[in-house]
C-alpha cells in the first residue's frame, strides 16, 4: 500500500489532517518535523538556531530516503519546505493542501508563529509562500482546498 504524503505551506493543516485521517482509516502517521525533533532531541526551532537550515534540509532528505526505502501504507505529514528541497513523489501519493496566505495567518496562534523560524517575519513568510506555490503544484498528485469542511473525506475519496 502506498504512503499518503501531505504537503503545503506552514499552517495549512497537514499535521492535524494526518491525525484525523489516521483516526478514520487506521493508518499510522509519521510527521517529519516530529521525527526530526525526536531523533535530534531538540525542537525544530532550536535545530535551526544551532545547526542552520542547510543541516535541517539534510535531515529532511534522510527522512525522505528512509520513508522511500522502508515505509509503506503510512500517512506522512511533511514540513512546509520539504517539497522545495526534495523529490517527494517516490515516497507515495502526494496531496497538496492549497490555502491562501491570509487564511493561514488567521489560523495560526502566537505559539504557532513562535515555533516556526521561517515565520518570524511576516513579509518574508509571504514571499516564501508565493515563491513555493509552483513547486507544491509540481510535486502534487492531488490538489485540495485546505479550508474545505470535508477535507478528510475528500482525501480518502481520492485514494480508494
Ligand atoms: C518549514 C516548515 C516547518 C518546519 C520548519 C521549516 C518550512 O514545518 O519544517 O520550520 O520551510 O516551511 P510546518 O510546515 O509543519 O510548519
Amino acid at each position: 500500500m502506498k504512503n499518503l504524503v501531505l504537503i503545503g505551506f506552514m499552517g495549512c493543516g497537514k499535521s492535524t489532517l494526518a491525525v484525523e485521517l489516521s483516526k478514520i482509516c487506521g493508518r499510522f502517521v509519521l510527521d517529519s518535523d516530529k521525527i526530526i525533533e525526536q531523533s535530534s532531541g531538540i525542537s525544530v526551532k532550536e535545530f535551526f538556531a544551532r545547526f542552520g537550515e542547510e543541516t535541517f534540509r539534510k535531515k529532511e532528505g534522510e527522512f525522505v530516503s528512509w520513508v522511500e526505502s522502508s515505509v509503506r501504507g503510512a500517512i506522512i505529514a511533511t514540513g512546509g519546505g520539504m517539497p522545495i528541497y526534495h523529490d517527494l513523489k517516490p515516497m507515495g501519493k502526494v496531496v497538496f493542501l492549497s490555502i491562501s496566505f491570509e487564511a493561514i495567518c488567521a489560523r495560526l496562534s502566537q505559539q504557532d508563529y513562535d515555533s516556526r523560524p521561517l515565520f518570524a517575519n511576516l513579509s518574508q513568510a509571504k514571499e516564501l509562500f508565493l515563491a513555493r506555490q509552483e513547486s507544491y503544484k509540481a510535486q502534487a498528485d492531488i490538489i485540495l482546498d485546505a479550508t474545505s469542511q470535508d477535507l478528510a473525506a475528500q482525501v480518502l475519496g481520492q485514494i480508494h
Side-chain angles (χ1 to χ4, degrees):
M1 194 194 291
K2 271 191 162 195
N3 296 310
L4 184 65
V5 183
L6 305 179
I7 68 168
F9 201 69
M10 294 174 268
C12 72
K14 293 160 291 189
S15 302
T16 307
L17 178 63
V19 172
E20 202 180 332
L21 287 168
S22 176
K23 284 181 187 161
I24 299 170
C25 68
R27 296 207 208 177
F28 282 118
V29 172
L30 290 178
D31 190 312
S32 65
D33 284 343
K34 290 191 180 122
I35 300 275
I36 291 173
E37 287 183 335
Q38 283 165 347
S39 310
S40 62
I42 53 177
S43 67
V44 167
K45 186 179 182 179
E46 207 178 333
F47 195 109
F48 267 67
R50 273 211 226 164
F51 306 114
E53 181 171 354
E54 206 179 317
T55 310
F56 180 77
R57 299 305 173 193
K58 277 193 194 136
K59 269 279 160 232
E60 282 189 326
E62 289 166 22
F63 174 86
V64 171
S65 304
W66 170 64
V67 170
E68 194 183 327
S69 65
S70 310
V71 181
R72 296 290 174 272
I75 299 163
I76 315 286
T78 62
M82 203 184 254
I84 316 305
Y85 295 90
H86 311 284
D87 178 15
L88 304 192
K89 288 204 188 232
M91 281 208 295
K93 190 136 191 168
V94 180
V95 180
F96 169 34
L97 304 183
S98 181
I99 188 169
S100 71
F101 188 74
E102 290 66 30
I104 288 175
C105 292
R107 278 180 175 194
L108 291 183
S109 68
Q110 193 56 47
Q111 197 206 337
D112 290 328
Y113 286 114
D114 292 346
S115 63
R116 290 173 165 89
L118 297 181
F119 231 119
N121 177 305
L122 210 58
S123 62
Q124 281 174 10
K126 176 139 197 198
E127 272 177 39
L128 204 58
F129 173 88
L130 294 172
R132 285 179 172 181
Q133 295 307 305
E134 284 311 311
S135 301
Y136 290 144
K137 285 181 200 157
Q139 295 251 12
D141 294 306
I142 304 163
I143 301 176
L144 294 176
D145 176 357
T147 59
S148 303
Q149 293 299 322
D150 59 346
L151 194 53
Q154 284 186 44
V155 175
L156 292 173
Q158 295 271 0
I159 59 165
H160 287 304

